[in-house]
Amino acid sequence: MPGRLRHARPVGGPSTAALSVLAREIDAPGDGLDRLRLVPTPFVPEVWLHLAEDAIVWWARMEAAAGRSLPPPYWASAWPGGQGLARYLLDHPELAAGRRVLDLAAGSGLVAIAAALAGASEVVANDVDPWAVAAVTVNARANGVAVTATEGDLLDGDGTGVDLLLAGDVLYDAGLAGRVVPFLRRAAAAGAVVLVGDPDRGHLPAEALEVVASYPVPTTEPYVDSPVRRVQVLRPR
């Protein structure tokens, strides 16, 4: 399947460099707000992730060490949409079992790992951020599952070769939603089962999607008003 996803490539280049840095961070002694920890995901304890105690503090230290700007470490938090979608998959493993799965904008790889644990025949986790690709790699290893992490922008494609397309917490701004939603529709038209996890960030095209599950999900995302978000799992109508 990876070869049929346009503009995606396995770990290499910037992702390899990020992977090396993350490996050193994981093995570094000490604790504190600026460290990564391997912890069970709050709403999906079957999956363990390397998360930041405080992603903003970790980011600041890493930028200071690098002497340059780095992309925001979205992969270092367990976002509620991904947690809800991963929970749904593990509660309904027949959705992923034996299928070729694509986790879009994978971040930490939580949803991809859940699909692998549910018995998917092949799992690709895609993100545009090389640090996320590296995070997927270390997190998949920590959970003992096979996930192919790829870097690149897939949103101009149609998801050809995918049986199950998963998108957790990807509709977080209007511009991105304007590209993601047409991609999801094209993938569904091409025959993929499409599932979206969304914590009501305000960019959900309600007329195009129907709710299949709803959860109160604890979140590790930084600086939110509430420690719990209501997450809906949806599919195209």
Side-chain angles (χ1 to χ4, degrees), residues 28 32 40 47 52 55-56 62 67 93 98 110 114 117 123 125 134 136 138 143 163 165 173 183 189 194 199 204 216:
V47 178
I56 303 302
M62 296 303 292
L110 167 60
L117 291 173
V123 182
V136 170
V138 298
N143 288 274
D163 300 317
L165 175 57
D173 68 46
F183 174 74
V194 175
L204 185 69

Side-chain angles (χ1 to χ4, degrees), residues 5 20 38 47 74-75 78 97 103 105 117 129 131 147 161 167 187 197 202 208 211 219 224 226 230 233 237:
L5 296 175
S20 177
L38 181 62
V47 178
Y74 296 126
W75 54 267
D103 178 14
L117 291 173
D129 179 6
W131 288 83
V147 173
V211 178
T219 178
V224 294
S226 170
R230 173 61 60 176
V233 179
R237 294 184 185 276

Side-chain angles (χ1 to χ4, degrees), residues 20-234:
S20 177
V21 173
L22 283 188
R24 291 198 300 271
E25 283 290 300
I26 290 166
D27 291 338
D31 53 19
L33 294 179
D34 65 339
R35 295 294 176 181
L36 300 177
R37 296 185 303 136
L38 181 62
V39 295
T41 308
F43 198 58
V44 196
E46 300 95 323
V47 178
W48 288 64
L49 298 174
H50 293 93
L51 301 179
E53 184 73 20
D54 186 309
I56 303 302
V57 175
W58 185 88
W59 185 24
R61 178 172 66 80
M62 296 303 292
E63 286 195 321
R68 58 184 175 85
S69 296
L70 298 174
Y74 296 126
W75 54 267
S77 300
W79 297 86
Q83 290 195 70
L85 187 51
R87 178 76 273 151
Y88 187 70
L89 284 176
L90 290 176
D91 289 345
H92 302 276
E94 70 279 2
L95 294 170
R99 289 184 162 176
R100 299 167 297 173
V101 176
L102 170 63
D103 178 14
L104 182 69
S108 67
L110 167 60
V111 176
I113 292 166
L117 291 173
S121 63
E122 186 174 5
V123 182
V124 172
N126 173 257
D127 206 289
V128 297
D129 179 6
W131 288 83
V133 175
V136 170
T137 302
V138 298
N139 287 330
R141 290 173 183 169
N143 288 274
V145 296
V147 173
T148 300
T150 67
E151 180 188 344
D153 185 338
L154 303 180
L155 296 182
D156 291 329
D158 60 6
T160 300
V162 175
D163 300 317
L164 176 62
L165 175 57
L166 305 170
D169 228 330
V170 299
L171 304 174
Y172 50 82
D173 68 46
L176 185 59
R179 295 190 66 209
V180 169
V181 172
F183 174 74
L184 299 180
R185 287 173 171 157
R186 290 193 299 272
V193 174
V194 175
L195 293 173
V196 177
D198 186 76
D200 192 23
R201 296 197 185 277
H203 305 289
L204 185 69
E207 73 287 350
L209 299 168
E210 62 177 344
V211 178
V212 297
S214 181
Y215 302 107
V217 177
T219 178
T220 67
E221 63 182 299
Y223 308 126
V224 294
D225 295 333
S226 170
V228 176
R229 299 286 293 266
R230 173 61 60 176
V231 172
Q232 293 180 330
V233 179
L234 310 103

